[in-house]
Every structure is written in C-alpha cells, then in structure tokens.
Amino acid sequence: MLNVYPINAFQDNYIWCIENSITKKCIIIDPGDEKPVIQHLLANQLTLKAILITHHHYDHVDGISGLLTHAQQYSGDTVTVLGPSNSKIKQITQPVVKGDRLTLLGTTLLVNEVPGHTLDHISYYVAQDLEHPTPWLFCGDTLFSAGCGRLFEGSPAQMLRSLKTLTELPLNTEVYCTHEYTLSNLAFAKAVLPNNPDIKQHIEKCQTLRDLDQPTLPSTIATELKINPFVSCSRSDVQSAVSHHSNLPIASELDTFTRLRSWKDSF
Ligand SMILES: [Zn+2]
C-alpha cells in the first residue's frame, strides 16, 4: 500500500514522501532541506529509494546531497535522483523528459514538461493502481491550490499551456503542490470573483485546516477547476473581472491569463 505524507520545511514548503507501508521504502520529492527529511526517515524507519526533482530552485534541491550521504550511511543503497534533462542540477543521475514512464516502488510515474515558473520545470503523475486508489500529481511550483507559480523564466503562453496540460488530468487526481499558499491565493481569487460560492466555501474549509495546523493539500483537479482563476481564463466571469480591473477589453484567454498573473504579482 502506498501513501503520501507531507514533511514541513522552511516557512511554507512541503517535501512530499511516497511510502510503501509494508516494505518501508520511500521516494522523496523536492528536498530543499535534508534535515526534516532525515528526521522523518529515521522516525518511520524508511529506506530512501529515489528522489524526484521538479525544478532547479534551491528550496527544491538543496537537500539532495545531504540525503544521499544519509542513505549511503544508513542502508548503503544507491538512490536514484530523477530530474529535468535540461537542468544544471549536478546530482541528477537519471534525467527525464516528457512522456517518460518510470517504475518506482512498483508503481508507474509519468513525466511531463511544464515550463513557465522555470524553463526546466517538470511534473510527475502517478496513475491510480492497486496500491493507491486515486491518481497523484506532483507539480512543484507550477500549479498551486487557487493559484500558480510566478513566471521567473517562462512566458505566460508557456505557463498557460502547462496549466492546461495539468488540468486535463482526471478530475479526482490529488494535487500535491510544494507550498502552503492556499489561503493567500484564495484571498486573491476572492478579489477576482467576490461572489463565487465555491471560493467562499473553500476559504472556510482551508481556514479550519490551518487553524488546526493541518495542510490544505492535496487539492484535486476538480477543486482547482472550481476555485482557481488561473486555470479558468477561458471563463466569462474571470475574463470580465480582469477586463474590469484593467479597464481594457479582453482579447483572448492568453491575454486574460497574462493580465491576471500581473494583477496577482502586485496584489
Ligand atoms: Zn520554484
């Protein structure tokens, strides 16, 4: 049986851990810091088999070396480090590209390229199988709950395409983002769509979770299609909100996304 657990890091990062509860083998995604991960591995007697990297930012990669050293001392096993093929991350031992299928812990992961936040950004999709009843998406800093990553390297067109690729996944896909940004993203979503009942309801639900110190993640694709304006730029309510805010008519879905992203950057 496979399960996913969050490991808190830095101010608001989640390092996700996929664990097989029987074999005690695990995969770590985007370890920006090795310390909380090593703590989690030791506390749960887990053996690290692989590290998955979504992109090159320090808060996703700086813990790789420390984890490799830990694994060497703890089990002596070799740990595979998977990551984007067009990246300069030195510790990657298995570069992957769009369409690659990998088998790890007996389950299949599908790689996609989702540039926008960075140019090397990739995502990992785990289709449902006997070991876990719902599909999983590990999307780094591309799709956040109720938001999306900032455009540090890519263009709005690239990011819009990447978000579309992700939201075309099955509606019940669990979305594992890397940051706990949901409430602040929802505050922006509410400013864009003040009368949207789904956004209001989701704010209440997420506020309750945060009050209990629980993550608001994973989200699902179905939820994001209801509450996330960045994946709804073809919708007339989002388009008219953006048009009203910028005092200019909307030319296209891409135009909506571009102006929505810059509205959020100064929100
Ligand atoms: Zn990033």
Side-chain angles (χ1 to χ4, degrees):
M1 185 70 183
L2 293 181
N3 286 300
V4 186
Y5 294 97
I7 301 168
N8 292 300
F10 306 113
Q11 191 83 350
D12 51 28
N13 283 60
Y14 293 122
I15 298 169
W16 297 104
C17 181
I18 306 177
E19 305 178 9
N20 183 314
S21 49
I22 311 291
T23 64
K24 293 284 181 183
K25 289 174 181 172
C26 75
I27 301 170
I28 291 289
I29 296 131
D30 281 350
D33 184 3
E34 73 274 19
K35 290 183 293 296
V37 180
I38 292 173
Q39 240 171 30
H40 181 84
L41 298 179
L42 291 174
N44 297 284
Q45 298 178 310
L46 295 167
T47 306
L48 179 61
K49 297 306 290 180
I51 296 172
L52 308 183
I53 302 298
T54 61
H55 67 293
H56 68 82
H57 284 159
Y58 80 95
D59 60 326
H60 299 249
V61 302
D62 275 8
I64 301 174
S65 298
L67 280 183
L68 294 179
T69 306
H70 165 81
Q72 189 63 42
Q73 290 165 352
Y74 183 73
S75 66
D77 280 2
T78 314
V79 175
T80 314
V81 184
L82 296 109
S85 63
N86 61 341
S87 196
K88 289 183 184 137
I89 308 161
K90 292 189 298 290
Q91 300 97 331
I92 291 175
T93 56
Q94 191 177 336
V96 290
V97 295
K98 178 179 179 166
D100 279 355
R101 274 172 193 277
L102 319 149
T103 304
L104 291 168
L105 304 187
T107 198
T108 305
L109 287 87
L110 187 63
V111 176
N112 212 331
E113 289 167 5
V114 285
H117 176 68
T118 63
L119 290 175
D120 66 349
H121 208 304
I122 60 173
S123 65
Y124 300 89
Y125 173 71
V126 189
Q128 70 191 88
D129 62 27
L130 291 176
E131 295 294 316
H132 53 97
T134 48
W136 297 332
L137 171 68
F138 299 92
C139 51
D141 290 351
T142 297
L143 173 62
F144 290 127
S145 186
C148 74
R150 277 177 189 266
L151 303 181
F152 286 116
E153 296 173 10
S155 67
Q158 281 177 314
M159 187 56 136
L160 182 62
R161 209 173 310 125
S162 296
L163 292 173
K164 272 181 188 291
T165 311
L166 298 180
T167 50
E168 279 164 6
L169 292 169
L171 292 175
N172 66 337
T173 304
E174 292 180 351
V175 179
Y176 292 88
C177 325
T178 313
H179 288 274
E180 182 58 67
Y181 288 162
T182 314
L183 279 176
S184 67
N185 285 339
L186 282 166
F188 176 71
K190 195 180 168 200
V192 177
L193 301 169
N195 300 316
N196 183 300
D198 295 318
I199 292 173
K200 277 185 188 162
Q201 218 175 54
H202 204 60
I203 289 174
E204 281 169 28
K205 182 184 163 191
C206 291
Q207 189 62 60
T208 306
L209 286 167
R210 295 309 294 147
D211 289 346
L212 297 167
D213 212 20
Q214 297 290 313
T216 60
L217 304 171
S219 182
T220 63
I221 297 296
T223 300
E224 292 312 308
L225 290 172
K226 281 188 202 160
I227 59 146
N228 189 334
F230 290 94
V231 301
S232 311
C233 288
S234 63
R235 249 168 45 192
S236 61
D237 55 347
V238 176
Q239 295 198 344
S240 61
V242 171
S243 167
H244 187 255
H245 177 76
S246 54
N247 248 331
L248 282 167
I250 287 295
S252 64
E253 183 182 6
L254 176 58
D255 181 31
T256 309
F257 178 77
T258 308
R259 284 197 254 159
L260 187 67
R261 187 57 257 181
S262 57
W263 181 1
K264 173 74 163 62
D265 287 343
S266 56
F267 183 70

